[in-house]
Amino acid sequence: MSKRIVIVGGGYVGLYAALRLQQRLRSGEAQVTVVNPENFMVYRPLLPEVASGTLEPRHAVVPLRAVLSGTRFVAGRLTGVDTQRRVASVAPEAGPELELEYDELVLGVGAMSKLLPIPGLADCGIGFNSLAEAVHLRDHVLRQLEIASATNDPELRRCALTFVFVGGGYTGVEALAELQDMAVDVLEGYPELDVSEMRWVLVEAMDRILTTVSEDLAERAVSELRARGIDVRLSTQLESAEGGLVRLNDGDSFRASTLVWVAGTKPPPLVKELGLPTDQRGRIIVDETMRVEGHPDIWAAGDCAAVPDLENGGVCPPTAQYAVRQARRLGDNLAERLRGGELRPFHYKSKGEFVTLGMNKAVGEMLGRKVHGRLAWAARRAYYATQIPTWNRTIRVLGDWLVGMPFGHDVVNLDSREEPRGAFQEAAGRRG
Ligand SMILES: Cc1cc2nc3c(=O)[nH]c(=O)nc-3n(C[C@H](O)[C@H](O)[C@H](O)COP(=O)(O)OP(=O)(O)OC[C@H]3O[C@@H](n4cnc5c(N)ncnc54)[C@H](O)[C@@H]3O)c2cc1C
């Protein structure tokens, strides 16, 4: 009988493991099912450019149904696993729960923002992990420029033009740098505003940013950001944000209409509820072949798993470049397991990393070589354009970038789409 492989999560791990199985499995050898709440995979390293509008949101995602031919796709969320009966419970968007029986289960549910108990943070902050957050932030920043340019209240104007990002990892740095670049670029359309009125603050608890690149590159990034007027506060922590009043532990406090929390991620709470072994950070403990400790038919990889790093010791970092390679090895190991073959450990040595700092600006390391400026920026773009699955996406991404070069950032703010029924409700006399 054909084996049933259920893959939970349609991100890097889910997509690339399923693609590998599509290549490796013979017809009728196994039925592969991918479960994901949305019918697309988010290409997360491109989110900062979605936020700055240099990429259309739809072009930074991969349609799962289009690329996973021969694989069953279920739009839904895993809610539990019965390891005795080998059943995964899945809640679809509507209707009763589904029970998916499996012979092999793969967990690649990623990570979400990890909040600290800081007063006001949950009410005033926003993360930068999802497509929705990236799209919202772009519209939100443009909206603040409109608010500041329209008001004659100096306090409101100052608050609208203050943007605070907490967390100096690549997510925080890229998001802030791209958004600030966009704001400066579009400001010429706002004669009422001056660039010196905008206040962009990056708050980092450690004494450096970008711990995944070498120290001199991180320092270069700090100098570049400071030269652009960005207030980089190292060895500083957010103490509270009640009512939008940001208080830092260096004694400073000010009102800000934008507070982006990018100071760490954690696996979704569901992971803990599954009863599988987890480490102190809540990641599923797996061996070097990515099988879950004590459960030979369950596998986990990516940001939700503690995959041993055989090259550097410890656990693999939560990055896309690791998740993709883990997924491919996991797919190979699954195929071997079905055929009684030998499982092989995951080995990978990072080839480098790039951090975008806005249009024509980046820092990075490539095959041991440090690069910065336009070269790093172009290399980063070339890398992602060729890595995103399908020509369809590559061409759309390249098209967006090409159009953006002569025309710059677009100032259109579409945040009304967050309330699409507003006009209809007004027409019905239900709101003023
Ligand atoms: C803004 C940003 C920029 C980044 N930039 C880089 C970069 O430049 N380079 C780099 O290497 N890495 C980068 N990363 C990190 C990289 O994106 C992650 O390491 C990678 O996405 C991890 O892959 P994953 O498959 O584990 O998780 P994800 O890709 O996050 O996929 C997890 C999937 O599981 C789904 N899911 C969650 N819960 C459930 C459930 N209960 N049931 C079903 N499905 C579920 C989610 O909806 C999601 O689709 C960046 C991340 C972010 C947020």
Side-chain angles (χ1 to χ4, degrees), residues 148-390:
S149 64
T151 187
N152 49 21
D153 175 345
E155 181 72 13
L156 175 61
R157 184 175 168 115
R158 234 186 332 269
C159 176
L161 292 177
T162 304
F163 309 91
V164 181
F165 287 66
V166 185
Y170 58 79
T171 313
V173 171
E174 289 193 330
L176 175 142
E178 282 281 344
L179 279 161
Q180 190 261 2
D181 204 40
M182 171 192 79
V184 171
D185 191 26
V186 300
L187 220 59
E188 68 181 33
Y190 294 82
E192 313 83 356
L193 301 179
D194 187 79
V195 70
S196 63
E197 289 181 90
M198 281 201 297
R199 187 175 185 189
W200 292 80
V201 187
L202 177 65
V203 179
E204 167 54 52
M206 297 207 304
D207 60 1
R208 61 163 290 187
I209 62 167
L210 300 175
T211 49
T212 48
V213 300
S214 58
E215 214 160 331
D216 51 338
L217 274 181
E219 276 167 20
R220 185 177 276 279
V222 170
S223 310
E224 149 85 33
L225 296 176
R226 285 186 171 147
R228 282 159 56 179
I230 296 167
D231 181 359
V232 181
R233 308 258 182 126
L234 302 176
S235 309
T236 308
Q237 292 177 25
L238 176 70
E239 273 188 344
S240 67
E242 284 165 305
L245 179 65
V246 170
R247 278 186 198 283
L248 304 178
N249 72 345
D250 61 5
D252 202 1
S253 66
F254 46 85
R255 295 209 164 270
S257 63
T258 309
L259 174 63
V260 186
W261 178 259
V262 265
T265 58
K266 60 171 188 188
L270 165 88
V271 165
K272 217 180 185 94
E273 293 158 21
L274 296 179
L276 301 173
T278 51
D279 68 358
Q280 75 282 8
R281 289 179 161 200
R283 296 171 298 194
I284 303 168
I285 298 174
V286 295
D287 66 16
E288 63 275 12
T289 67
M290 286 165 285
R291 277 205 293 191
V292 177
E293 213 178 67
H295 297 268
D297 51 0
I298 306 184
W299 311 67
D303 289 6
C304 72
V307 179
D309 184 345
L310 300 182
E311 284 291 332
N312 306 303
V315 167
C316 294
T319 65
Q321 58 169 310
Y322 275 84
V324 171
R325 273 79 182 189
Q326 288 167 3
R328 291 185 182 138
R329 163 68 30 228
L330 200 159
D332 286 342
N333 279 346
L334 263 173
E336 288 305 321
R337 181 163 149 88
L338 297 188
R339 297 167 190 164
E342 195 191 332
L343 306 188
R344 290 181 38 206
F346 172 70
H347 260 288
Y348 176 63
K349 193 168 164 48
S350 171
K351 302 209 170 31
E353 187 170 316
F354 295 105
V355 180
T356 172
L357 299 175
M359 194 68 103
N360 291 319
K361 301 174 272 287
V363 292
E365 276 160 345
M366 194 167 58
L367 304 167
R369 236 189 107 202
K370 291 170 187 165
V371 280
H372 58 87
R374 195 181 258 270
L375 174 66
W377 175 82
R380 178 186 176 276
R381 283 197 159 186
Y383 176 77
Y384 284 122
T386 52
Q387 291 302 304
I388 193 164
T390 75

Side-chain angles (χ1 to χ4, degrees), residues 7-16 34-38 40-49 64 74-80 89-91 107-112 128-130 133-134 170-172 174-175 262 265 268 270-271 301-305 317-327 352-356 380 383-384:
I7 301 178
V8 182
Y12 275 89
V13 169
L15 172 64
Y16 285 92
V34 171
V35 180
N36 196 60
E38 286 135 348
F40 54 81
M41 176 261 197
V42 180
Y43 213 78
R44 283 177 218 278
L46 295 179
L47 286 183
E49 289 177 71
L64 291 171
V74 176
R77 250 174 206 287
L78 180 80
T79 55
S89 302
V90 172
L107 298 169
V109 291
M112 60 197 298
F128 195 77
N129 237 356
S130 66
E133 286 166 335
Y170 58 79
T171 313
E174 289 193 330
V262 265
T265 58
L270 165 88
V271 165
D303 289 6
C304 72
T319 65
Q321 58 169 310
Y322 275 84
V324 171
R325 273 79 182 189
Q326 288 167 3
E353 187 170 316
F354 295 105
V355 180
T356 172
R380 178 186 176 276
Y383 176 77
Y384 284 122

